[in-house]
């Protein structure tokens, strides 16, 4: 039996469900891109777990009590204390969200032609590296690409591959090494402490700064606690402190494991690098004690970081994701296994084996699911991570998934049952689903604004 939710509901947001005819019209008007739907036209929204958490009464009360000041608000000092307690970092820069941290850090570190290795870059990280003239390189372990394989730490980076890569490209062309915890692109898969330690050790041997992309650090810490030898008696906070102790810095979107709707942090150990990042962020984000946010958001992040590292919260969170995954597995729906931290990933390659990646099977699945049920997932496949060659031919991505990201503390198990039933019903008539032709996409982060038409 699952543990009951460690909270009760104090306020609700009513939901309406459109008819199937209306949804069919809405998705057509949206160019078969769920990012272009109005959220009021969505029944259950699993587009993302980013910025969609329900806040606690403690967070909201801290927000109200905050001083709103351009410089030196009390919420900055609260956050500073919490950042030290949770991550063990004295120096950090506040930013409006995760990509703000990436922008600041990469602007300072990356030069044209540089390489940035990572287990797997997520979309904004990849785009921000490219935007600065760099080349994002994924060096995940092989099993990250094997959706059916059950392994404890499929999010890991292949350390041998990394060493070979550094030798081949030269230290001078690699301004930083990153590790994304959890590995979102591979299916929200955790990274082991041992892997974090080994990557850090290697980066240090070559004198390359090592950064964590820590968006879902607490979920990662909880998996280490459950699965890695030697950690079962350690608290999530102790594990978190250890994970970050191996890093020279980190990027963090507080919209995930900060349990807030907006905000981010760039943590940096080196004084000189911190100065450079801080000075740039004053130009593009905001003064250091608010960093592009209202001061109240800082207070909410400080409280959120405490709540997200609570043991009972993480147990509930993991069980909720697993609940949806188990319902889908019962009906033989192909998903990435084992289920990860914040989402269930439906493997569109196996769900729709007759649609080639150049016809965007995961995008087709995502739009059909919306049409059938009002549930909004998101494509993480060739639209999000593919490329095009010089002639404009589509180069498929390594992964082809529909992600069902579960907002934190938002949906009930009944609602997740509705999601699972809707996907099972769709699976019954999967032969009727056709692929999509992409009619428009900009170069970077094209999936957000891309347009499609059904293949006849
Ligand atoms: C692993 C990872 N890194 C970075 C980001 C970027 O964060 P943000 O959306 O706050 O810019 C995301 C967002 O989903 C993410 O999942």
């Amino acid at each position: 039996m699952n543990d009951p939710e460690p909270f009760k509901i104090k306020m609700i947001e009513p939901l309406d469900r459109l008819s199937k005819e209306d949804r069919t019209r809405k998705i057509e008007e949206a160019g078969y891109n769920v990012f272009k739907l109005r959220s009021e036209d969505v029944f259950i929204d699993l587009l993302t777990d980013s910025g969609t958490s329900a806040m606690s009464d403690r967070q909201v009360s801290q927000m109200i009590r905050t001083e709103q000041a351009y410089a030196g608000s009390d919420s900055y000092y609260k956050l500073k204390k919490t950042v030290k307690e949770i991550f063990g970092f004295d120096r950090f820069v506040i930013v409006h969200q995760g990509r703000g941290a990436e922008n600041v850090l990469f602007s300072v570190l990356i030069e044209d032609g540089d390489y940035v290795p990572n287990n797997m870059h997520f979309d904004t990280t990849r785009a921000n590296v490219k935007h600065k003239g760099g080349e994002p390189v994924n060096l995940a372990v092989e099993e990250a690409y094997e959706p059916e394989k059950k392994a404890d730490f499929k999010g890991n980076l292949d350390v041998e591959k990394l060493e070979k890569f550094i030798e081949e490209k030269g230290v001078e062309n690699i301004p930083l090494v990153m590790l994304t915890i959890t590995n979102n692109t591979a299916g929200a898969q955790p990274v082991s402490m041992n892997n974090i330690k080994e990557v850090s050790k290697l980066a240090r041997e070559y004198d390359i700064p090592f950064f964590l992309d820590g968006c879902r650090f607490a979920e990662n810490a909880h998996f280490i606690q459950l699965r890695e030898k030697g950690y079962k008696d350690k608290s999530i906070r102790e594990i978190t402190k250890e994970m970050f102790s191996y890093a020279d810095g980190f990027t963090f979107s507080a919209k995930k494991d900060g349990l807030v709707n907006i905000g981010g942090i760039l943590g940096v150990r080196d004084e000189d690098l911190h100065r450079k990042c801080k000075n740039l962020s004053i130009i593009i984000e905001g003064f250091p004690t608010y960093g592009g946010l209202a001061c109240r958001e800082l207070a909410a992040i400080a409280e959120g970081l405490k709540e997200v590292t609570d043991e009972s919260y993480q147990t509930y969170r993991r069980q909720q994701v697993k609940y949806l995954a188990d319902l889908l597995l019962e009906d033989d729906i192909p998903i990435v296994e084992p289920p990860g931290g914040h989402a269930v990933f439906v493997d569109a390659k196996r769900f729709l084996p007759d649609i080639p990646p150049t016809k965007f099977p995961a995008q087709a699945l995502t739009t059909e699911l919306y049409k059938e049920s009002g549930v909004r997932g998101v494509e993480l496949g060739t639209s999000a991570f593919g490329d095009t060659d010089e002639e404009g031919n589509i180069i498929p991505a390594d992964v082809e998934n529909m992600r069902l990201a579960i907002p934190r503390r938002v949906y009930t198990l009944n609602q997740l049952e509705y999601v699972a039933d809707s996907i099972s019903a769709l699976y019954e008539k999967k032969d009727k689903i056709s692929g999509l032709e992409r009619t428009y996409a900009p170069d970077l982060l094209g999936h957000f604004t891309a347009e499609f038409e059904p293949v006849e």
Side-chain angles (χ1 to χ4, degrees), residues 13-16 18 26 34-45 47 52 370 374 376 411:
E13 180 184 322
L15 292 174
D16 286 327
L18 296 182
K26 297 278 181 190
V34 291
F35 280 105
K36 295 188 179 183
L37 291 169
R38 292 174 71 138
S39 64
E40 66 186 18
D41 296 334
V42 174
F43 181 47
I44 295 184
D45 204 350
L47 179 78
T52 52
Y370 170 73
R376 173 160 69 170
Y411 288 117

Side-chain angles (χ1 to χ4, degrees), residues 22-38 41 359-360 362-368 370-371 376 379 383 434-442 446-455:
D22 283 342
R23 290 195 298 262
T24 305
R25 188 170 42 81
K26 297 278 181 190
I27 196 70
E28 193 183 331
E29 286 167 5
Y32 295 87
N33 184 346
V34 291
F35 280 105
K36 295 188 179 183
L37 291 169
R38 292 174 71 138
D41 296 334
K359 298 288 181 256
F360 304 97
Q363 183 74 15
L365 179 56
T366 305
T367 54
E368 281 303 312
Y370 170 73
K371 238 199 275 180
R376 173 160 69 170
E379 192 259 21
S383 175
S434 58
L436 295 168
E437 206 74 65
R438 190 166 60 188
T439 54
Y440 166 75
H447 55 299
F448 287 125
T449 52
E451 287 165 19
F452 301 85
E453 277 173 5
V455 175

Side-chain angles (χ1 to χ4, degrees), residues 48-51 95-102 118 120-126 128 178-185 213-216 251-256 261-264 342 380 403 448:
T48 178
D49 62 319
S50 179
V95 287
H96 75 282
Q97 63 182 102
R99 70 199 72 181
E102 292 159 10
N118 200 328
M120 276 172 148
H121 291 268
F122 196 57
D123 58 359
T124 61
T125 328
R126 181 170 177 260
N128 264 307
M178 292 190 83
L179 196 52
T180 305
I181 57 170
T182 57
N183 184 337
N184 189 357
T185 309
D213 175 341
C215 290
R216 299 177 182 84
T251 55
F252 174 60
S253 166
K255 296 173 74 176
K256 285 87 171 169
N261 305 123
I262 195 73
H342 65 286
L380 288 182
R403 185 186 71 178
F448 287 125

Side-chain angles (χ1 to χ4, degrees), residues 199-248:
V199 175
S200 164
K201 187 166 165 266
L202 188 69
R204 278 185 186 160
E205 270 166 33
Y206 284 94
D207 210 14
I208 303 173
F210 169 55
F211 275 70
L212 288 171
D213 175 341
C215 290
R216 299 177 182 84
F217 73 94
E219 291 172 6
N220 201 86
H222 183 47
F223 279 113
I224 289 176
Q225 186 183 49
L226 284 175
R227 297 180 181 171
E228 194 161 349
K229 204 163 160 245
Y231 289 93
K232 99 172 156 16
D233 296 325
K234 298 218 161 139
S235 69
I236 290 171
R237 289 210 189 149
E238 284 170 322
I239 297 171
T240 298
K241 262 275 183 64
E242 184 179 340
M243 292 191 305
F244 284 81
S245 73
Y246 301 118
D248 298 307

